[in-house]
């Protein structure tokens, strides 16, 4: 993985020293909160419902054991002993004290991490496929390109005060595990007719109050043109994007208002103008970055221990069936560590659990970990012979829940328990759904099911692209939960369809039960996934189950 250069280290430490002075001035009253706000946001520090929150970047979701150990240390020393992994492949600390933040940032710098541009109207943390560099279906590891984009976007002088925030996601596989079509720019690696790798470029995706699936602006972009083309896109939007209304400022609105063809023409014009300025230095930098992403020294060994455990231990077999994915190297597997134990907060990990995961990466995982946008942690390279030992360690740490991709593997934002913007609770709803279906012992019968929950219209929980999406809103001071069905965050992306009127807090779990019962009744076989069943039968059977014979009338009234 990428290792900080002397320049990187000096740059980050200079920013830490600068922010430390700003914190001192805020504490002694030299800066008002209004004056301090843009300064703290540039360094990832939010003021939440109860306390400050620090959002730390984990670029393209990649880290090693030293970084994970340091995240654990920070959680124990300056927070309440845990951290929260997010859908942007970041980690958030919900309880830091303002005087301690510079020390936290210094501790991050010690292991090559920072919180720069995790907030504000800038280009945010570049996210990537969490199986990058390991997936069997991958064309190329996209992380060197993601690192190039990170270096280009960090403190880019033209892109520090844009109309709104800007998010880029990248995958090296035709199978999209990075939700590229729900980002301002999505990059999906494909091959042209000559077999050369390049990128399908998607623009104008995004969720929030106006959810949109991104549109393909370029079907095949050569890798050498990627950086100037991305700069052209951001530059055109930075010029056209609306600054009169923050709710209409995202690039998805700009593309919709101007039309894709017009926007594409402007991008091509800007690209032609700036492409000559890219004289190949960016490709030289990319080549040097690629050298840091060499494959681990994979080993040859038998899988007898795995086969024996799989045949003899049903607990291990259940975990292996759900939490392992195919690796590109024979004899290896990709391990997803679920942070979704039934009844627990999705995405939370204690300091002790972080240390366990770091230790497993050191001992069995070629010292690599990944954070997924689904709020889980990945060991991307584990030999099958080591999997029984890994599973035993995870069991002891409460990290061996066998539910990846199942109904309790829920994405949820912090909601009203932490967030000042939230209008309803998310975490308790996720906990109750997971607990209920664990009690019913239906998870494995249901099969693949992606529930995503947001506590407000900003959609940090990606509810629009959940097979079942739940949006918590405030209705006259009372929590009300809207349900959408049929959302999809993959290469066949779709925005979920609203079922009708929302449900009260104590009604939402029974409503989800009715949806699942309807699916189990309507599916043609146990192999038909919920999403496929929904696309075949449509929304009406689910509306009937939720609202009874008055379903159509109530939905119109909504």
């Amino acid at each position: 993985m990428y290792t900080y250069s002397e320049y990187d280290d000096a740059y980050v430490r200079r920013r830490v020293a600068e922010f430390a002075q700003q914190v001192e001035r805020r504490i002694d009253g030299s800066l008002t909160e209004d004056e301090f706000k843009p300064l703290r946001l540039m360094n990832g520090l939010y003021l939440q419902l109860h306390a400050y929150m620090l959002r730390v970047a984990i670029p393209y979701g990649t880290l090693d054991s030293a970084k994970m150990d340091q995240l654990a240390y920070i959680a124990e020393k300056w927070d309440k002993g845990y951290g929260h992994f997010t859908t942007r492949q970041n980690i958030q600390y919900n309880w830091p004290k303002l005087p301690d933040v510079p020390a936290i940032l210094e501790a991050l710098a010690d292991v090559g991490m920072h919180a720069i541009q995790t907030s504000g109207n800038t280009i945010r943390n570049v996210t990537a496929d969490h199986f990058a560099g390991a997936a069997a279906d991958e064309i190329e590891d996209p992380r060197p390109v993601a690192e190039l984009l990170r270096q280009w976007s960090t403190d880019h002088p033209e892109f520090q005060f844009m109309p709104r925030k800007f998010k880029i996601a990248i995958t090296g596989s035709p199978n999209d595990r990075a939700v590229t079509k729900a980002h301002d720019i999505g990059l999906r690696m494909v091959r042209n007719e000559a077999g050369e790798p390049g990128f399908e470029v998607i623009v104008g995706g995004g969720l929030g109050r106006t959810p949109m699936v991104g549109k393909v602006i370029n079907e095949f972009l050569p890798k050498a043109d990627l950086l100037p083309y991305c700069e052209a896109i951001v530059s055109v939007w930075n010029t056209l994007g609306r600054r009169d209304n923050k709710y209409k400022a995202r690039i998805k609105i700009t593309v919709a208002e101007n039309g894709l063809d017009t926007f594409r023409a402007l991008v091509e014009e800007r690209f032609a103008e700036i492409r000559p300025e890219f004289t190949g230095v960016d490709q030289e930098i990319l080549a040097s970055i690629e050298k840091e992403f060499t494959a681990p020294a994979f080993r040859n060994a038998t899988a007898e221990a795995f086969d024996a455990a799989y045949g003899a231990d049903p607990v291990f077999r259940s975990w292996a069936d759900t939490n392992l994915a195919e690796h590109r190297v024979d004899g290896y597997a990709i391990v997803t560590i679920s942070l979704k134990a039934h009844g627990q907060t999705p995405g939370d990990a204690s300091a002790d659990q972080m240390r366990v995961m770091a230790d497993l990466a050191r001992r069995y995982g070629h010292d690599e970990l990944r954070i997924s946008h689904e709020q889980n942690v990945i060991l991307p390279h584990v030999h099958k012979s080591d999997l029984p030992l890994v599973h035993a360690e995870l069991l002891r740490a409460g990290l061996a829940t066998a539910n990846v991709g199942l109904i309790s593997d829920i994405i949820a934002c912090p909601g009203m328990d932490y967030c000042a913007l939230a209008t309803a609770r998310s975490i308790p709803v996720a906990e109750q759904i997971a607990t209920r279906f664990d009690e019913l012992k239906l998870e494995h019968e249901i099969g693949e099911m992606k529930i995503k929950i947001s506590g407000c219209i900003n959609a940090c929980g990606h509810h629009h692209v959940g097979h079942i999406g739940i949006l918590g809103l405030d209705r006259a001071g009372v929590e009300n939960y809207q349900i959408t069905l049929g959302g999809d965050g993959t290469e066949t992306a779709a925005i979920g369809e609203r079922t009708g009127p929302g449900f009260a807090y104590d009604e939402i779990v029974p409503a989800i039960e009715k949806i699942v019962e309807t699916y189990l009744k309507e599916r043609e076989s146990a192999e038909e996934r919920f999403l496929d069943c929904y696309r075949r039968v449509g929304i009406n059977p689910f509306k009937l189950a939720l609202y009874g014979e008055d379903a159509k009338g109530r939905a119109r009234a909504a």
Side-chain angles (χ1 to χ4, degrees):
M1 65 186 67
Y2 182 76
T3 305
Y4 271 15
S5 66
E6 290 183 7
Y7 173 85
D8 296 322
D9 184 68
Y11 168 81
V12 171
R13 292 187 189 279
R14 185 168 62 249
R15 285 289 297 263
V16 172
E18 179 184 82
F19 188 56
Q21 293 178 344
Q22 294 164 352
V23 169
E24 287 179 8
R25 293 168 63 201
R26 175 69 189 105
I27 291 172
D28 69 20
S30 301
L31 288 174
T32 66
E33 174 54 33
D34 286 343
E35 292 169 330
F36 183 57
K37 181 178 179 179
L39 303 176
R40 62 173 169 78
L41 291 178
M42 290 172 66
N43 293 278
L45 188 63
Y46 288 74
L47 186 57
Q48 294 285 71
L49 196 61
H50 308 294
Y52 284 102
M53 179 271 283
L54 181 66
R55 179 180 293 155
V56 176
I58 303 174
Y60 37 91
T62 294
L63 69 167
D64 59 17
S65 60
K67 291 180 172 61
M68 184 68 91
D69 277 334
Q70 193 77 329
L71 296 179
Y73 170 73
I74 290 169
E76 275 189 341
K77 184 171 178 62
W78 292 295
D79 206 272
K80 292 191 175 182
Y82 70 96
H84 177 72
F85 293 100
T86 78
T87 57
R88 292 295 304 161
Q89 296 179 318
N90 298 310
I91 186 171
Q92 294 181 176
Y93 295 106
N94 290 313
W95 303 100
K97 295 179 173 61
L98 181 57
D100 294 331
V101 174
I104 297 173
L105 296 177
E106 191 71 34
L108 290 169
D110 289 342
V111 291
M113 299 184 76
H114 62 75
I116 298 166
Q117 289 185 202
T118 58
S119 182
N121 294 337
T122 59
I123 297 175
R124 299 287 185 88
N125 185 34
V126 177
T127 59
D129 180 356
H130 44 273
F131 291 169
D137 60 358
E138 187 173 77
I139 296 172
E140 278 187 13
D141 187 344
R143 292 177 301 154
V145 174
E147 174 59 28
L148 181 69
L149 290 167
R150 184 195 70 82
Q151 293 187 21
W152 159 77
S153 62
T154 302
D155 264 4
H156 191 300
E158 187 181 343
F159 304 142
Q160 291 305 300
F161 299 98
M162 299 192 294
R164 283 286 273 127
K165 58 189 174 183
F166 199 90
K167 299 176 180 179
I168 301 174
I170 183 170
T171 177
S173 168
N175 300 306
D176 186 1
R177 287 178 290 267
V179 204
T180 59
K181 290 188 176 181
H183 282 75
D184 299 293
I185 291 178
L187 302 169
R188 191 168 71 101
M189 189 170 284
V190 293
R191 292 188 186 276
N192 63 10
E193 293 180 356
E196 299 165 329
F199 287 99
E200 176 187 79
V201 183
I202 301 156
V203 70
L207 304 179
R209 65 182 61 242
T210 312
M212 294 184 184
V213 173
K215 300 175 176 63
V216 176
I217 191 172
N218 195 314
E219 292 183 353
F220 182 83
L221 183 72
K223 288 173 64 178
D225 289 340
L226 181 64
L227 205 55
Y229 198 83
C230 286
E231 179 149 331
I233 291 173
V234 182
S235 181
V236 168
W237 169 68
N238 198 28
T239 302
L240 288 181
R242 294 180 57 173
R243 287 176 163 83
D244 62 320
N245 184 339
K246 72 176 184 178
Y247 301 118
K248 297 184 181 296
R250 298 292 292 270
I251 194 173
K252 60 187 176 183
I253 304 298
T254 306
V255 172
E257 288 182 342
N258 291 274
L260 180 62
D261 290 341
T262 297
F263 190 83
R264 181 189 288 115
L266 291 169
V267 169
E268 294 292 345
E269 180 182 345
R270 178 63 175 155
F271 174 71
E273 179 183 350
I274 66 174
R275 182 64 182 90
E277 299 174 9
F278 286 76
T279 59
V281 174
D282 59 319
Q283 294 304 298
E284 293 174 8
I285 294 172
L286 177 59
S288 68
I289 292 171
E290 287 175 336
K291 293 177 182 177
E292 301 206 43
F293 285 86
T294 55
F298 295 117
R299 63 187 176 88
N300 291 320
T302 67
E304 291 178 4
F306 173 84
D307 294 337
Y310 191 86
D313 184 351
V315 175
F316 176 79
R317 182 166 60 250
S318 176
W319 175 81
D321 287 343
T322 54
N323 292 35
L324 301 184
E326 185 181 2
H327 198 282
R328 64 184 178 86
V329 175
D330 288 342
Y332 274 77
I334 302 169
V335 178
T336 298
I337 301 171
S338 172
L339 299 185
K340 315 287 179 59
H342 299 109
Q344 300 299 309
T345 302
D348 276 9
S350 70
D352 286 342
Q353 289 175 326
M354 290 185 219
R355 290 193 180 95
V356 168
M357 292 186 283
D359 185 57
L360 290 174
R362 268 190 302 269
R363 293 162 60 195
Y364 305 112
H366 296 278
D367 206 26
E368 286 194 40
L369 300 115
R370 308 283 165 73
I371 308 304
S372 77
H373 78 271
E374 295 176 323
Q375 298 177 290
N376 291 319
V377 177
I378 316 297
L379 294 171
H381 312 294
V382 180
H383 195 277
K384 287 184 177 180
S385 63
D386 292 327
L387 288 170
L389 296 172
V390 170
H391 178 251
E393 292 289 339
L394 292 174
L395 270 176
R396 283 190 281 273
L399 290 168
T401 307
N403 65 342
V404 171
L406 303 182
I407 196 169
S408 63
D409 185 14
I410 298 170
I411 287 178
C413 73
M416 209 161 58
D417 287 299
Y418 296 100
C419 182
L421 300 177
T423 49
R425 289 170 288 176
S426 298
I427 292 171
V429 174
E431 292 171 345
Q432 290 170 31
I433 292 172
T435 299
R436 179 57 178 156
F437 282 93
D438 184 44
E439 292 170 348
L440 294 172
K441 303 303 177 189
L442 283 175
E443 279 195 281
H444 291 271
E445 182 179 347
I446 295 165
E448 182 183 339
M449 171 71 76
K450 295 188 181 295
I451 295 182
K452 306 178 192 288
I453 306 173
S454 299
C456 80
I457 198 68
N458 290 305
C460 294
H462 293 187
H463 68 276
H464 294 295
V465 292
H467 298 169
I468 299 176
I470 302 172
L471 168 62
L473 296 171
D474 182 307
R475 290 281 187 259
V478 177
E479 289 168 298
N480 182 269
Y481 293 87
Q482 293 179 357
I483 295 176
T484 54
L485 299 177
D488 178 13
T490 71
E491 63 278 2
T492 56
I495 301 299
E497 183 178 359
R498 185 177 164 191
T499 60
F503 296 85
Y505 177 77
D506 59 356
E507 297 174 334
I508 188 63
V509 176
I512 301 303
E513 280 194 61
K514 290 178 181 178
I515 291 169
V516 171
E517 289 169 0
T518 303
Y519 157 61
L520 294 176
K521 182 178 69 174
E522 294 286 341
R523 70 183 183 182
E524 291 184 327
S525 70
E527 285 70 44
E528 186 176 36
R529 302 179 308 160
F530 173 86
L531 187 59
D532 297 326
C533 177
Y534 176 82
R535 288 172 172 171
R536 179 175 58 81
V537 305
I539 199 170
N540 285 336
F542 299 96
K543 290 173 68 172
L544 184 64
L546 288 171
Y547 305 111
E549 294 298 330
D550 193 34
K552 293 182 180 179
R554 291 192 69 192
R556 281 198 299 271

